[in-house]
Amino acid sequence: MAAPRASLSLVTPVWNGGTSGIRGLSRAVDPEGSQWKGRTLLQFLTHRFYDVEAMREYLLQKQVLKVQQKNRSFAYIKERYGLYIASAYFVLKQGGAVKFQDKEWMRPHGRGLSSGELWKLQEVPIEAVDASGCAINYQGLDNLLALKELQSLSLQRCPHMDDWCLSRLYQLADSLQELSLAGCPRISERGLACLHHLQNLRRLNISDLPAVSNPGLTQILVEEMLPNCEVLGADWAQGLKLGPEEQSRDTARSPIPA
């Protein structure tokens, strides 16, 4: 009868969450030997597999809700302090940085947001946003797309930035001059094709995009699509395949090893 008690006592530590739940899981079973312990734990996981799946689903849902929470609009701040303050608060809250016109970059610090400085800039437009590594998604872009004076936007390494998000950037076409999408894992050729609206772009970084199947060809197409823009692709042209004539010419120029 000892084994059933052990299995029953294991259910609570798993659902209490955190690493303490994992430690509680190992402490709940007190076997006489390591072999008995391993067999009992395996039997428990086998009998409680549904609980493991339920826990996984719960954690995934919790993660989604967390991202949604981070991308909400601060309507009450916008009503009281205006668009620029609400947008800056959104970016700073995510750990990014903003630059108001003729001001220094403003970044969050360990003690919280520099709200005392922020509230004084209600009438000052935002000209640059650095949201590198932030959890901005399709919904969260609502906090940035109304910034009609925005000239520079960095979205590099944003894990939730995808092709659908890029399809919304046309709303910044009149002002945006610099855009960085480097290292965004979910951006593909389809999303980059949406950037044809941004004819005022002067600098675009599309390097290190793992979802792009043919980086070299994609960079060439983007350069043709935005002729006045400097496109950075981290030596993507080296990924292009040489034709027969180029291959033979390249071979002729290569020294023959001794």
Side-chain angles (χ1 to χ4, degrees), residues 12-83:
T12 302
V14 172
W15 285 96
N16 281 341
T19 56
S20 60
I22 302 299
R23 289 193 293 267
L25 180 64
S26 61
R27 286 198 303 265
V29 180
D30 187 16
E32 297 177 357
S34 58
Q35 186 176 6
W36 189 92
K37 177 180 177 180
R39 185 170 62 251
T40 304
L41 182 59
L42 180 60
Q43 291 174 351
F44 166 75
L45 293 176
T46 303
H47 292 311
R48 300 292 177 179
F49 183 75
Y50 173 79
D51 289 350
V52 174
E53 286 294 301
M55 172 61 82
R56 180 177 178 273
E57 184 66 23
Y58 167 76
L59 293 176
L60 288 175
Q61 291 179 359
K62 189 174 181 179
Q63 185 177 10
V64 171
L65 290 175
K66 184 177 180 180
V67 172
Q68 291 177 349
Q69 183 73 5
K70 285 186 174 183
N71 283 277
R72 70 189 188 279
S73 296
F74 295 97
Y76 66 97
I77 295 181
K78 183 177 180 180
E79 292 177 3
R80 184 170 181 179
Y81 298 101
L83 168 66

Side-chain angles (χ1 to χ4, degrees), residues 207-243:
S207 60
D208 190 22
L209 300 179
V212 173
S213 58
N214 194 325
L217 179 59
T218 299
Q219 179 170 347
I220 292 175
L221 295 176
V222 172
E223 289 174 343
E224 292 182 355
M225 183 177 68
L226 301 171
N228 299 319
C229 180
E230 177 188 4
V231 181
L232 305 179
D235 296 330
W236 278 9
Q238 294 181 3
L240 293 174
K241 293 182 179 180
L242 298 177

Side-chain angles (χ1 to χ4, degrees), residues 1-13 28 44 48:
M1 297 299 291
R5 287 181 187 170
S7 62
L8 289 175
S9 64
L10 290 175
V11 177
T12 302
F44 166 75
R48 300 292 177 179

